Amino acid sequence: GTEAAPRSADPTIEEIKAELDRSVRAPTARSLPIPPPIAPPSVPPAASHTDAPAPGPSLGAAAERGGETLREGTFLVSRRGRVIRRGGGPTVLAFDGDSLGRADAPMELLPCANLTAIERVAEQRGEGATVTVTGQVFTYHGRNFLLPTMFEVNRANTEIIPVQ
């Protein structure tokens, strides 16, 4: 009689596809879990001592001058600004204005490894240093905070060397 051809030890493409279909199901967009937002650090209550030094301008007042509060989760991409440190207080990024002179309100930078590097740049270069930051906005008690995910140190105008 007729003998069946010996079967190969390697599975066929159809068998591999069928096995993958059974074992791995691609999740739908509705089934993907949404990670909870990162909570900004708690803001300490204002000092109630009468002999305490007068605080600098609040970020709330700056937000009123600079415009509305941005929605939580908003990403700011390549925004240029100056790093401001108020004594032992938070590190704040004051955004430069656009071509029409409009600027977003200053935002407190949230603690992370990028903040450590940004603070180091600010210490080395002084108040004139500018950085271009990309990050995610968080909102807490009507104020915006920025978690810097990327930054670039901008050259000072004195560092520009003409090619000609």
Side-chain angles (χ1 to χ4, degrees):
T2 21
E3 291 185 24
R7 184 154 190 217
S8 168
D10 293 331
T12 65
I13 292 176
E14 288 78 24
E15 291 171 334
I16 294 172
K17 285 171 57 177
E19 179 63 29
L20 285 173
D21 286 340
R22 283 191 301 275
S23 65
V24 178
R25 299 277 182 215
T28 63
R30 285 175 285 183
S31 68
L32 292 176
I34 298 172
I38 299 169
S42 62
V43 178
S48 60
H49 302 289
T50 56
D51 59 331
S58 73
L59 289 179
E64 290 173 13
R65 285 191 314 273
E68 62 190 48
T69 303
L70 298 177
R71 215 171 92 202
E72 178 150 331
T74 301
F75 279 92
L76 298 183
V77 179
S78 298
R79 299 297 300 275
R80 183 182 164 118
R82 299 180 190 286
V83 180
I84 301 170
R85 292 265 332 208
R86 295 188 181 124
T91 302
V92 175
L93 184 67
F95 296 101
D96 286 353
D98 62 10
S99 62
L100 299 175
R102 297 177 303 210
D104 287 325
M107 288 187 204
E108 183 176 329
L109 297 175
L110 295 175
C112 63
N114 281 332
L115 175 58
T116 303
I118 290 170
E119 288 174 333
R120 194 174 308 120
V121 167
E123 287 172 10
Q124 291 171 350
R125 294 194 175 207
E127 290 183 10
T130 62
V131 292
T132 299
V133 176
T134 295
Q136 187 172 11
V137 175
F138 292 91
T139 305
Y140 183 72
H141 289 289
R143 290 178 32 204
N144 284 143
F145 297 82
L146 182 65
L147 180 63
T149 54
M150 245 173 57
F151 78 98
E152 178 182 4
V153 180
N154 299 315
R155 285 183 189 219
N157 289 340
T158 58
E159 293 179 22
I160 298 175
I161 300 170
V163 178
Q164 297 179 4

